[in-house]
Amino acid sequence: MLIHPQFDPIAVSLGPLQVHWYGLTYLVAFTLFYLLAVRRAASAHFAARGWNRPMVEDLLFFGVLGVVLGGRLGYVLFYKPGHYLSHPAEILAVWQGGMAFHGGLLGVIAAMALYARRQRRHFFEVADLVAPCVPVGLAAGRIGNFINGELWGRAADPSLPWAMVFPQSGTDVARHPSQLYQFGLEGLLLFALLWWYARVPRPQGAVAGLFLLGYGLFRFIAEYFREPDNFLGLLALNMSMGQWLCVPMIVLGALFWGMAKKDAFRS
């Protein structure tokens, strides 16, 4: 049975300035997105549609705003609405933690819609360029969760070779390192799947639909190994909040992928 290494959450201290590992993982995520999106924009399919590096840079700016604002507001609305209704000043206290992927996704969707409108492009053209570039950023974020020793897993059989005790949980229970499961599933595996699928031109909307479907399925599975938030526990049908939020992603992803195969989103 392993013990979480108890990393110092502060990566670098320069006088009063402290740089946290979690902040660095966000920087890594945005950098990887930029590099991959530039490569996507330079491919024959997107280059023929006029995509270039400056457009990717503008898109990244919109995306960063969507991730940060959407992720924070999603956490506030989906997970602790009562608390933040009583303490509205804490909504802006992002340094205290509290970001939700599903809120970040909605923020990014809104950012892509605004960008597509400004550029007079079809929303799914933008979404198809973005989708394969996202999972590596998600993987970086899960490494940040692991370094912080947060979002730990449910109790595991102590004989499991990689079962791990997270002292931050306040117990000596052996747990699944669910952050690493999510790193592998919704990060590396989803990236490999989407990058392979998007290697050739697909019907508009198909890549974005597969992202929603794939992430929803992988996150739904990972939630069976992740400890539910203690202030929520398991909800109806013994499903976590994360799983319930994945259900519409799976349904919409399958719907969009099927519609795209019928050229429903052709420009």
Side-chain angles (χ1 to χ4, degrees):
M1 189 167 59
L2 305 174
I3 306 293
H4 182 266
Q6 298 291 279
F7 298 101
D8 185 342
I10 299 174
V12 179
S13 293
L14 299 173
L17 177 64
Q18 295 181 334
V19 180
H20 289 72
W21 283 109
Y22 197 63
L24 289 178
T25 62
Y26 267 72
L27 179 60
V28 169
F30 293 136
T31 300
L32 290 174
F33 171 86
Y34 173 73
L35 294 175
L36 292 172
V38 166
R39 182 170 177 178
R40 290 271 291 159
S43 66
H45 175 67
F46 285 102
R49 292 172 174 258
W51 283 87
N52 54 43
R53 185 184 296 264
M55 293 175 64
V56 171
E57 293 169 354
D58 291 342
L59 180 58
L60 177 61
F61 173 77
F62 279 83
V64 169
L65 291 179
V67 168
V68 175
L69 296 179
R72 183 58 174 175
L73 291 178
Y75 182 80
V76 169
L77 296 175
F78 297 152
Y79 290 91
K80 289 187 174 181
H83 173 81
Y84 288 106
L85 183 63
S86 302
H87 305 84
E90 294 185 15
I91 293 176
L92 300 178
V94 294
W95 56 88
Q96 295 179 3
M99 297 285 282
F101 165 80
H102 295 90
L105 175 65
L106 292 176
V108 169
I109 289 174
M112 288 192 301
L114 178 60
Y115 178 84
R117 181 177 179 179
R118 288 170 60 94
Q119 293 288 330
R120 297 183 179 179
R121 292 178 179 273
H122 196 290
F123 170 80
F124 278 107
E125 178 185 337
V126 178
D128 284 345
L129 182 140
V130 166
C133 310
V134 171
V136 288
L138 301 179
R142 293 311 176 191
I143 291 297
N145 295 144
F146 181 75
I147 289 174
N148 286 348
E150 61 191 6
L151 306 183
W152 50 76
R154 304 188 193 191
D157 187 333
S159 65
L160 187 70
W162 54 86
M164 182 173 292
V165 173
F166 289 86
Q168 294 93 330
S169 69
T171 72
D172 58 358
V173 174
R175 300 179 180 276
H176 291 280
S178 56
Q179 312 97 321
L180 301 183
Y181 296 177
Q182 291 185 257
F183 165 79
L185 287 174
E186 68 201 43
L188 300 186
L189 181 56
L190 183 58
F191 168 71
L193 174 64
L194 287 174
W195 199 260
W196 171 82
Y197 183 73
R199 75 194 189 284
V200 297
R202 301 289 180 179
Q204 191 154 277
V207 177
L210 187 61
F211 170 82
L212 288 176
L213 176 60
Y215 179 88
L217 286 173
F218 290 149
R219 174 69 181 269
F220 191 93
I221 293 169
E223 285 283 330
Y224 281 116
F225 300 95
R226 175 173 162 174
E227 183 75 11
D229 296 284
N230 57 12
F231 52 86
L232 287 176
L234 293 175
L235 306 178
L237 302 179
N238 284 327
M239 287 165 51
S240 68
M241 175 61 83
Q243 287 176 312
W244 277 112
L245 292 174
C246 283
V247 171
M249 289 186 68
I250 295 170
V251 173
L252 288 174
L255 177 64
F256 290 162
W257 188 81
M259 292 175 65
K261 297 294 283 185
K262 298 179 180 179
D263 281 336
F265 305 124
R266 180 181 295 180
S267 299

Coordinates of all heavy atoms in Angstrom, one line a residue, residues 142-206:
R142 N -5.3 17.0 -14.1 CA -5.4 15.9 -13.1 C -4.1 15.6 -12.4 O -4.1 15.2 -11.3 CB -5.9 14.7 -13.9 CG -7.3 14.7 -14.4 CD -8.3 15.2 -13.4 NE -9.6 15.4 -13.9 CZ -10.6 16.0 -13.2 NH1 -10.4 16.5 -12.0 NH2 -11.8 16.2 -13.8
I143 N -3.0 15.9 -13.1 CA -1.7 15.8 -12.4 C -1.6 16.9 -11.3 O -1.1 16.6 -10.2 CB -0.5 16.0 -13.4 CG1 -0.5 14.8 -14.4 CG2 0.8 16.2 -12.7 CD1 -0.2 13.5 -13.7
G144 N -2.2 18.1 -11.6 CA -2.3 19.1 -10.5 C -3.1 18.6 -9.3 O -2.7 18.9 -8.2
N145 N -4.2 18.0 -9.6 CA -5.0 17.4 -8.5 C -4.3 16.4 -7.7 O -4.4 16.4 -6.5 CB -6.3 16.7 -9.1 CG -7.3 17.7 -9.7 OD1 -7.9 17.3 -10.7 ND2 -7.4 18.9 -9.2
F146 N -3.5 15.5 -8.4 CA -2.7 14.5 -7.7 C -1.6 15.2 -6.8 O -1.4 14.8 -5.7 CB -2.1 13.5 -8.7 CG -1.3 12.4 -8.0 CD1 -2.0 11.4 -7.4 CD2 0.1 12.4 -8.0 CE1 -1.3 10.4 -6.7 CE2 0.8 11.4 -7.4 CZ 0.1 10.4 -6.8
I147 N -0.9 16.1 -7.4 CA 0.1 16.8 -6.6 C -0.5 17.4 -5.3 O 0.1 17.4 -4.2 CB 0.8 17.9 -7.5 CG1 1.7 17.2 -8.5 CG2 1.7 18.8 -6.6 CD1 2.3 18.2 -9.5
N148 N -1.7 18.0 -5.5 CA -2.3 18.7 -4.3 C -2.9 17.7 -3.3 O -3.3 18.0 -2.2 CB -3.4 19.6 -4.8 CG -2.9 20.9 -5.4 OD1 -1.7 21.2 -5.2 ND2 -3.7 21.7 -6.0
G149 N -3.0 16.4 -3.8 CA -3.6 15.4 -2.9 C -5.1 15.6 -2.7 O -5.7 15.3 -1.7
E150 N -5.8 16.1 -3.7 CA -7.2 16.4 -3.7 C -8.0 15.6 -4.6 O -7.4 14.9 -5.5 CB -7.4 17.9 -4.0 CG -7.0 18.3 -5.4 CD -7.0 19.8 -5.7 OE1 -7.2 20.5 -4.7 OE2 -6.7 20.2 -6.8
L151 N -9.3 15.5 -4.5 CA -10.2 14.7 -5.3 C -9.7 13.3 -5.3 O -9.7 12.6 -6.4 CB -10.2 15.3 -6.7 CG -10.6 16.8 -6.9 CD1 -10.6 17.2 -8.3 CD2 -11.9 17.1 -6.2
W152 N -9.4 12.8 -4.1 CA -8.9 11.4 -4.0 C -10.1 10.4 -4.3 O -11.2 10.7 -4.4 CB -8.4 11.2 -2.6 CG -9.3 11.6 -1.5 CD1 -10.4 11.0 -1.1 CD2 -9.2 12.8 -0.8 NE1 -11.0 11.7 -0.1 CE2 -10.3 12.8 0.1 CE3 -8.3 13.9 -0.8 CZ2 -10.5 13.9 1.0 CZ3 -8.5 14.9 0.1 CH2 -9.6 14.9 1.0
G153 N -9.7 9.1 -4.4 CA -10.6 8.1 -4.8 C -11.3 7.5 -3.6 O -11.1 7.8 -2.5
R154 N -12.2 6.5 -4.0 CA -13.0 5.8 -3.0 C -12.1 4.7 -2.4 O -11.0 4.4 -2.9 CB -14.2 5.1 -3.6 CG -15.1 6.1 -4.3 CD -16.4 5.5 -4.7 NE -17.2 6.3 -5.7 CZ -18.4 6.1 -6.1 NH1 -19.1 5.0 -5.6 NH2 -19.0 6.9 -6.9
A155 N -12.5 4.1 -1.3 CA -11.8 3.1 -0.6 C -11.5 1.9 -1.6 O -12.3 1.6 -2.4 CB -12.5 2.6 0.6
A156 N -10.3 1.4 -1.5 CA -9.8 0.3 -2.4 C -9.3 -0.8 -1.5 O -9.0 -0.7 -0.3 CB -8.7 0.8 -3.3
D157 N -9.3 -2.0 -2.1 CA -8.7 -3.2 -1.4 C -7.2 -2.9 -1.2 O -6.5 -2.5 -2.1 CB -8.8 -4.4 -2.4 CG -8.4 -5.7 -1.7 OD1 -7.5 -5.6 -0.8 OD2 -8.9 -6.7 -2.1
P158 N -6.8 -2.9 0.1 CA -5.4 -2.6 0.4 C -4.4 -3.5 -0.3 O -3.2 -3.1 -0.4 CB -5.3 -2.9 1.9 CG -6.7 -2.7 2.4 CD -7.6 -3.2 1.3
S159 N -4.8 -4.6 -0.8 CA -3.9 -5.5 -1.6 C -3.7 -5.0 -3.0 O -2.8 -5.5 -3.7 CB -4.4 -6.9 -1.6 OG -5.6 -7.0 -2.4
L160 N -4.5 -4.0 -3.4 CA -4.3 -3.4 -4.8 C -2.9 -2.8 -4.8 O -2.6 -1.9 -4.0 CB -5.4 -2.4 -5.1 CG -5.4 -1.8 -6.5 CD1 -5.9 -2.9 -7.5 CD2 -6.4 -0.6 -6.5
P161 N -2.0 -3.2 -5.8 CA -0.7 -2.7 -5.7 C -0.5 -1.2 -5.7 O 0.4 -0.6 -5.2 CB 0.0 -3.3 -7.0 CG -0.9 -4.5 -7.3 CD -2.3 -4.1 -6.8
W162 N -1.5 -0.5 -6.4 CA -1.4 1.0 -6.4 C -2.4 1.7 -5.5 O -2.5 2.9 -5.6 CB -1.6 1.5 -7.9 CG -2.8 1.0 -8.5 CD1 -4.1 1.6 -8.4 CD2 -3.0 -0.2 -9.3 NE1 -5.0 0.9 -9.1 CE2 -4.4 -0.2 -9.7 CE3 -2.1 -1.2 -9.8 CZ2 -4.9 -1.2 -10.5 CZ3 -2.6 -2.2 -10.6 CH2 -4.0 -2.2 -10.9
A163 N -3.0 1.0 -4.6 CA -3.8 1.6 -3.6 C -3.0 2.6 -2.8 O -1.8 2.3 -2.5 CB -4.5 0.6 -2.7
M164 N -3.6 3.7 -2.5 CA -2.8 4.8 -1.8 C -3.6 5.5 -0.7 O -4.8 5.7 -0.8 CB -2.5 5.8 -2.9 CG -1.6 7.0 -2.5 SD -1.1 8.0 -3.9 CE 0.0 6.9 -4.8
V165 N -2.8 5.8 0.4 CA -3.4 6.5 1.5 C -3.2 8.0 1.2 O -2.0 8.4 0.9 CB -2.8 6.1 2.8 CG1 -3.2 7.0 3.9 CG2 -3.1 4.7 3.1
F166 N -4.2 8.8 1.3 CA -4.2 10.2 1.1 C -4.3 10.9 2.5 O -5.5 11.0 3.0 CB -5.2 10.7 0.2 CG -5.0 10.4 -1.3 CD1 -5.4 9.2 -1.8 CD2 -4.3 11.3 -2.1 CE1 -5.1 8.8 -3.1 CE2 -4.0 10.9 -3.4 CZ -4.4 9.7 -3.9
P167 N -3.3 11.2 3.2 CA -3.4 11.9 4.5 C -4.3 13.1 4.5 O -4.9 13.4 5.5 CB -2.0 12.3 4.9 CG -1.1 11.3 4.1 CD -1.9 11.1 2.8
Q168 N -4.5 13.8 3.4 CA -5.3 14.9 3.3 C -6.8 14.5 3.6 O -7.6 15.4 4.0 CB -5.2 15.6 1.9 CG -3.9 16.2 1.6 CD -3.0 15.2 0.9 OE1 -3.1 14.0 1.1 NE2 -2.1 15.8 0.1
S169 N -7.1 13.3 3.4 CA -8.5 12.8 3.6 C -8.8 12.7 5.1 O -10.0 12.5 5.5 CB -8.7 11.5 2.9 OG -8.0 10.4 3.6
G170 N -7.8 12.8 6.0 CA -8.0 12.6 7.4 C -8.1 11.2 7.9 O -8.5 11.0 9.0
T171 N -7.9 10.2 7.0 CA -8.0 8.8 7.3 C -6.7 8.1 6.8 O -5.9 8.6 6.1 CB -9.2 8.2 6.7 OG1 -9.0 8.0 5.3 CG2 -10.5 9.0 6.9
D172 N -6.6 6.8 7.3 CA -5.5 6.0 6.8 C -6.1 4.9 5.9 O -5.5 3.8 5.7 CB -4.7 5.4 7.9 CG -5.6 4.5 8.9 OD1 -6.8 4.5 8.6 OD2 -5.1 4.0 9.8
V173 N -7.2 5.2 5.2 CA -7.9 4.3 4.3 C -7.1 4.2 3.0 O -6.8 5.2 2.4 CB -9.4 4.7 4.1 CG1 -10.0 3.8 3.1 CG2 -10.1 4.6 5.4
A174 N -6.9 3.0 2.5 CA -6.3 2.8 1.2 C -7.4 3.2 0.1 O -8.5 2.8 0.2 CB -5.9 1.4 1.0
R175 N -6.9 4.0 -0.8 CA -7.9 4.5 -1.8 C -7.4 4.4 -3.2 O -6.2 4.2 -3.5 CB -8.2 6.0 -1.6 CG -8.8 6.3 -0.2 CD -9.0 7.8 0.0 NE -9.6 8.1 1.3 CZ -10.9 8.1 1.6 NH1 -11.7 7.8 0.6 NH2 -11.3 8.3 2.8
H176 N -8.3 4.5 -4.2 CA -7.9 4.5 -5.6 C -7.3 5.9 -5.9 O -7.9 6.9 -5.5 CB -9.1 4.3 -6.5 CG -9.7 2.9 -6.4 ND1 -9.2 1.9 -7.1 CD2 -10.8 2.4 -5.8 CE1 -9.9 0.8 -6.9 NE2 -10.9 1.1 -6.1
P177 N -6.2 5.9 -6.6 CA -5.7 7.3 -7.0 C -6.4 7.7 -8.2 O -5.9 7.7 -9.4 CB -4.2 7.0 -7.3 CG -4.2 5.5 -7.7 CD -5.3 4.8 -6.9
S178 N -7.7 8.1 -8.0 CA -8.6 8.4 -9.1 C -8.1 9.5 -10.0 O -8.5 9.6 -11.2 CB -10.0 8.6 -8.6 OG -10.0 9.7 -7.6
Q179 N -7.3 10.4 -9.4 CA -6.8 11.5 -10.3 C -6.0 10.9 -11.4 O -6.0 11.4 -12.6 CB -5.9 12.5 -9.5 CG -6.5 12.9 -8.1 CD -6.0 12.0 -7.0 OE1 -5.8 10.8 -7.1 NE2 -5.8 12.7 -5.9
L180 N -5.2 9.9 -11.1 CA -4.4 9.2 -12.2 C -5.3 8.4 -13.1 O -4.9 8.3 -14.3 CB -3.3 8.3 -11.5 CG -2.4 9.1 -10.6 CD1 -1.3 8.1 -10.1 CD2 -1.7 10.3 -11.3
Y181 N -6.4 7.9 -12.7 CA -7.3 7.2 -13.6 C -7.8 8.2 -14.6 O -7.9 7.9 -15.8 CB -8.5 6.6 -12.8 CG -8.1 5.5 -11.8 CD1 -9.1 4.9 -11.0 CD2 -6.8 5.0 -11.7 CE1 -8.8 3.9 -10.1 CE2 -6.5 4.0 -10.8 CZ -7.5 3.4 -10.0 OH -7.2 2.4 -9.1
Q182 N -8.2 9.4 -14.1 CA -8.8 10.4 -14.9 C -7.7 10.9 -15.9 O -8.0 11.2 -17.1 CB -9.4 11.5 -14.1 CG -10.7 11.1 -13.4 CD -11.4 12.2 -12.7 OE1 -11.3 12.4 -11.5 NE2 -12.1 13.0 -13.4
F183 N -6.5 11.1 -15.4 CA -5.4 11.4 -16.2 C -5.3 10.5 -17.4 O -5.1 10.9 -18.6 CB -4.1 11.4 -15.4 CG -2.8 11.5 -16.2 CD1 -2.3 12.6 -16.7 CD2 -2.1 10.3 -16.5 CE1 -1.2 12.7 -17.5 CE2 -0.9 10.3 -17.2 CZ -0.5 11.5 -17.7
G184 N -5.4 9.2 -17.2 CA -5.3 8.2 -18.2 C -6.5 8.1 -19.2 O -6.3 8.0 -20.4
L185 N -7.7 8.2 -18.6 CA -8.9 8.0 -19.4 C -9.3 9.3 -20.1 O -9.3 9.3 -21.4 CB -10.0 7.6 -18.5 CG -10.0 6.2 -18.0 CD1 -11.1 5.9 -17.0 CD2 -10.2 5.2 -19.1
E186 N -9.7 10.3 -19.4 CA -10.2 11.6 -20.1 C -9.1 12.4 -20.6 O -9.3 13.4 -21.3 CB -11.1 12.4 -19.1 CG -10.3 13.0 -17.9 CD -11.2 13.3 -16.8 OE1 -12.1 12.5 -16.4 OE2 -11.0 14.4 -16.2
G187 N -7.8 12.1 -20.2 CA -6.6 12.8 -20.7 C -6.0 12.1 -21.9 O -6.3 12.4 -23.0
L188 N -5.1 11.1 -21.6 CA -4.3 10.5 -22.6 C -5.1 9.6 -23.6 O -4.9 9.7 -24.8 CB -3.2 9.6 -22.0 CG -2.2 10.4 -21.1 CD1 -1.1 9.4 -20.6 CD2 -1.6 11.6 -21.8
L189 N -6.0 8.8 -23.1 CA -6.8 7.9 -24.0 C -7.7 8.7 -24.9 O -7.8 8.5 -26.1 CB -7.6 6.9 -23.1 CG -8.4 5.9 -23.9 CD1 -7.5 5.1 -24.9 CD2 -9.1 4.9 -23.0
L190 N -8.4 9.7 -24.3 CA -9.3 10.5 -25.1 C -8.5 11.3 -26.1 O -9.0 11.4 -27.3 CB -10.1 11.4 -24.2 CG -11.2 12.3 -24.9 CD1 -12.2 11.4 -25.7 CD2 -11.9 13.2 -23.9
F191 N -7.4 11.8 -25.8 CA -6.5 12.5 -26.7 C -6.2 11.6 -27.9 O -6.3 12.0 -29.1 CB -5.3 13.1 -26.1 CG -4.3 13.6 -27.0 CD1 -4.5 14.8 -27.8 CD2 -3.1 12.9 -27.3 CE1 -3.6 15.2 -28.7 CE2 -2.2 13.3 -28.2 CZ -2.4 14.5 -28.9
A192 N -5.7 10.4 -27.6 CA -5.3 9.5 -28.6 C -6.4 9.2 -29.6 O -6.3 9.1 -30.8 CB -4.7 8.2 -28.0
L193 N -7.6 8.9 -29.0 CA -8.8 8.6 -29.8 C -9.1 9.7 -30.7 O -9.4 9.5 -31.9 CB -9.9 8.2 -28.8 CG -11.3 8.0 -29.5 CD1 -11.2 6.8 -30.4 CD2 -12.4 7.8 -28.4
L194 N -9.2 10.9 -30.1 CA -9.7 12.1 -30.9 C -8.6 12.5 -32.0 O -9.0 12.8 -33.1 CB -10.0 13.3 -30.0 CG -11.2 13.2 -29.2 CD1 -11.3 14.4 -28.2 CD2 -12.5 13.1 -30.1
W195 N -7.3 12.4 -31.6 CA -6.3 12.8 -32.6 C -6.3 11.9 -33.7 O -6.1 12.3 -34.9 CB -5.0 12.9 -31.9 CG -4.0 13.7 -32.6 CD1 -3.0 13.3 -33.4 CD2 -3.9 15.2 -32.7 NE1 -2.3 14.3 -34.0 CE2 -2.8 15.5 -33.6 CE3 -4.6 16.2 -32.1 CZ2 -2.5 16.8 -33.8 CZ3 -4.3 17.5 -32.4 CH2 -3.2 17.8 -33.2
W196 N -6.5 10.6 -33.4 CA -6.5 9.6 -34.5 C -7.7 9.8 -35.4 O -7.7 9.8 -36.6 CB -6.6 8.2 -33.9 CG -6.8 7.1 -34.9 CD1 -5.9 6.5 -35.8 CD2 -8.1 6.5 -35.2 NE1 -6.6 5.6 -36.6 CE2 -7.9 5.6 -36.3 CE3 -9.4 6.7 -34.8 CZ2 -8.9 4.9 -36.8 CZ3 -10.4 6.0 -35.3 CH2 -10.2 5.1 -36.4
Y197 N -8.9 10.0 -34.8 CA -10.1 10.2 -35.5 C -10.1 11.4 -36.4 O -10.6 11.4 -37.5 CB -11.3 10.3 -34.5 CG -12.7 10.4 -35.2 CD1 -13.2 9.3 -35.8 CD2 -13.4 11.6 -35.2 CE1 -14.5 9.3 -36.4 CE2 -14.6 11.7 -35.8 CZ -15.2 10.5 -36.4 OH -16.4 10.6 -37.0
A198 N -9.4 12.5 -35.9 CA -9.4 13.8 -36.6 C -8.2 13.9 -37.5 O -8.0 14.9 -38.1 CB -9.4 14.9 -35.6
R199 N -7.5 12.8 -37.8 CA -6.3 12.8 -38.6 C -6.7 13.1 -40.1 O -5.9 13.5 -40.9 CB -5.5 11.6 -38.5 CG -6.1 10.4 -39.2 CD -5.5 9.0 -38.8 NE -6.0 7.9 -39.6 CZ -7.2 7.3 -39.5 NH1 -8.0 7.8 -38.6 NH2 -7.5 6.3 -40.3
V200 N -8.0 12.8 -40.4 CA -8.5 13.0 -41.8 C -9.8 13.8 -41.6 O -10.4 13.8 -40.6 CB -8.8 11.7 -42.5 CG1 -7.5 10.9 -42.7 CG2 -9.8 10.9 -41.8
P201 N -10.1 14.6 -42.7 CA -11.4 15.4 -42.6 C -12.6 14.5 -42.2 O -12.8 13.4 -42.8 CB -11.5 16.0 -44.0 CG -10.1 16.0 -44.5 CD -9.4 14.8 -43.9
R202 N -13.4 15.0 -41.3 CA -14.6 14.3 -40.9 C -15.8 15.3 -41.2 O -15.6 16.5 -41.3 CB -14.6 13.9 -39.5 CG -13.4 13.0 -39.1 CD -13.6 11.6 -39.6 NE -12.5 10.7 -39.2 CZ -12.5 9.4 -39.6 NH1 -13.5 8.9 -40.3 NH2 -11.4 8.7 -39.2
P203 N -17.0 14.8 -41.3 CA -18.2 15.7 -41.4 C -18.2 16.7 -40.3 O -17.8 16.4 -39.1 CB -19.4 14.7 -41.3 CG -18.8 13.4 -41.7 CD -17.4 13.3 -41.2
Q204 N -18.6 17.9 -40.6 CA -18.5 19.0 -39.6 C -19.4 18.6 -38.4 O -20.5 18.3 -38.5 CB -19.0 20.3 -40.3 CG -18.7 21.5 -39.4 CD -18.6 22.8 -40.2 OE1 -17.6 23.1 -40.8 NE2 -19.7 23.5 -40.3
G205 N -18.8 18.8 -37.2 CA -19.5 18.4 -36.0 C -19.2 17.1 -35.5 O -19.4 16.8 -34.3
A206 N -18.6 16.2 -36.3 CA -18.3 14.8 -35.8 C -17.3 14.7 -34.8 O -17.4 14.0 -33.8 CB -18.0 13.9 -37.0

